[in-house]
Amino acid sequence: MRLRSYGAHNHYAAAAALPLSLHLSSHPDRRNLFNLSLPRSPRPPWRLSLTASTDQLWAVKESQERAEGGEGFGFSFEAGEAAARDVNHLEGPRVEVKELEEVPEQWRRSKLAWLCKELPAHKPGTLVRILNAQKKWIVQEDALYVAHHCMRIRENETAFRVYKWMMQRPWYQFDFDLITRLADYMGKERKFSKCRELFDDIIKQGRVPSESTFHILIVAYLSAPVQGCLEEACGIYNKMIQLGGYKPRLSLHNSLFKALVSKPGGSCKHHLKQAEFVFHNLVTCGLEVHKNVYAGLIWLHSYQDTIDRERIVELREEMQKAGIEESSDVHVSILRAYSKEGDVEEVERNWVKLVESDGAIPSQALVYRMEVYAKVGEPMKSLEVCREMERIKGAANVVAYHTVIEIMAKAHKVETAETLMDEFVNSGLKPLMPSYIELMSMYLNLDLHDKLEATFMQCLQRCRSNRTICSIYLDSLVKVGSLDKASEIFNQMLNNGAIGINSKSCNTILRAYLDSGEFIEAEEIYDLMCKKKFDIDPLLMEKLDYALSLKKKVVKKPTILKLSKEQREILVGLLLGGLQIESDEERKNHVIHFEFSCNSTTHSVLRRHIYDEYHEWLHPACRTKDENEEVPYHFSTVAHSYFEFYADQFRPKGRPVIPKLIHRWLSPRVLAYCYMSGGHRTSSGDLLLKLKGANREDVERIVKTFKAKSLDCRVKKKGRVFWIGFFGSNSLLFWKLMEPYILDDLKDLLRADIQVLENDAVEDRNQRINFDSDSDSDGRVSVVSDNEI
């Protein structure tokens, strides 16, 4: 038997030597019968001819990915991109592949050659059906042959599906070399989920993945702009060292560290432990520690709530021993750390070093000087630093104004704070809201309620209202006994989805009603707090008990949860946009997972509203402990049988579908939330609605519903998602239908552009968006390009 050996990364060179056509012949000397060159769909630019080397292929692909744009990093690592390049120098398993002509049966050779030709050309469902039809004769050796051939011609997706089909067969035996090779290829194509699935299959068999698989999977995770991938990359990196006993390459250490410090400090500070572990591995392995690793580690330490001064001093000493000069980034980090400690002497010492350095003085350094003087009780010294910034930089920036006004407000320097606020407003800088909040908080503490009300009115003229500023004004109105105005403000907060209410605002208005003897209104607020599961202030319980006793009502929170009409409609709209429901094995209890994109302005506003709307349903672990704490982008409800209806309608078998009766549920509120969660306004002012889990029949029912409302629309399919487009006057009608239920903070962002729509011709826009008339009637739906949607 003749075997051909292929290394883990030389498959392109092997494929280059293959013939360009298939000849099914029974001649015994016919060589490489199974090697094909099939007509394929247009290749992406990085897929070169078979004669190109592996290094060239991946170099071109990486350059293309960089050209498409990536996220900026907090520090510049010269060696940061080398981890992906090192992939080509890692040794994987050498795979033994038998020649096809060595298969004894002619019919088997013919069938294998046919499979090698047909499988790459079909979709997953058809591919599985073809393989199922071969179950009577195919064995593991045959399936391995097909999988290796698909990898050799770069049809790695097909190889993966063949492998998954193999696993379900009774004759399947674990093949480490095949899985490793396939995992490496999946990772190189940045398909981290499939690579991780193969990685886990190796672990489940009690085997340790190869170094190349660890390395490639980490690089794939780091290359993915998906939330949570960095944490997964860290977990694989830790396993690589602790489980595999491998010593990662320098480029991998640097790339991971680079990712750990790539976001703003507040969101990166929890990565300190992992960053220290990477630094420890660099030192223990005797590798060169880049100057930016030292700077990045000090930078992370400076953002911690509790500053580890000894560790910072230790890192600075190690930099000196290594002959690395402290950069301006290091000095700014030192200023940040010691300003939190209130160490004026150390801050001024580093300020002098920063001034003496050649580079420009960062504005943030002056802000930290302001903060350290405020920390030691010298607010006027902070004002002097602010004036010094104006001399050095020409003018104070937004952060400086926010900081100095906050310092003056907390020190109760009323006139100085007001003067600075006037300067800030006249400068034209924004946002003004944080400074208005500090100013109003000062007035509230000093009982200057007239000034507080005047400032609140000024703020509404220049800024969009939010919950914090409304809550301060509500507190002021309750303090002065203006119950009517307080009730009006509370109702505005309650009815405005972009503002909303919380436990603090409810307790404030409840206290006002109880103190004034308005027990009927107090009972309504109590019922609202019970429904939302808000905590009631213990100091109010005695008065509340008396108020409820007048109606012989016991102070006891209801235990039965029930969705309101608004909550039901919102849920339907979000489910149309792709909201996830998870069911237990018996499908009795169901959990709703709310997930919002941190890169979306719309989702940033919507998540706060949804969090408040379903507050009583949220799992205790998902509720914020502090009401001023940032709402997470991912939160879930408790497991409850009440969601069974929605699970059966939208996820009957765990997969998203559109209910048969959806046309009855498309109320304006449902459409508004579907649009806010996944809709899109084009550059030409038209509106697009995204539907997940729909098929053509589902979309047709929805389109008929729109036409019944005198709304004409066009349909386009993109992958597994259908887009419904509203153009010209139809987009205006669609917007007017939804507008009452769109959050106020999102109306300017999502509304149909009336001026553009009036000036442009509908036909021209249809051509730009690529919604052609044929796609509505025939079975072939064109795909809208990424640039257009």
Side-chain angles (χ1 to χ4, degrees), residues 601-602 605 676 742-751:
T601 304
T602 304
V605 176
M676 286 189 289
I742 299 291
L743 300 182
D744 290 342
D745 288 355
L746 297 178
K747 286 183 177 179
D748 293 339
L749 184 65
L750 297 177
R751 75 170 68 248

Side-chain angles (χ1 to χ4, degrees), residues 224-232 263 596-599 632-634:
V226 180
Q227 192 170 4
C229 281
L230 177 57
E231 288 72 17
E232 294 294 336
K263 295 182 180 179
F596 300 92
S597 172
C598 58
N599 299 321
Y633 282 89
H634 301 267

Side-chain angles (χ1 to χ4, degrees), residues 485-501:
K485 283 187 177 181
S487 300
E488 182 181 351
I489 288 295
F490 181 82
N491 289 329
Q492 289 179 7
M493 295 171 65
L494 178 62
N495 296 326
N496 190 330
I499 299 176
I501 57 173

Side-chain angles (χ1 to χ4, degrees), residues 316-334:
R316 296 178 74 184
E317 290 176 352
E318 291 185 20
M319 289 181 68
Q320 291 179 357
K321 291 179 182 179
I324 300 174
E325 185 178 352
E326 292 182 349
S327 63
S328 61
D329 288 334
V330 174
H331 290 306
V332 172
S333 296
I334 298 300

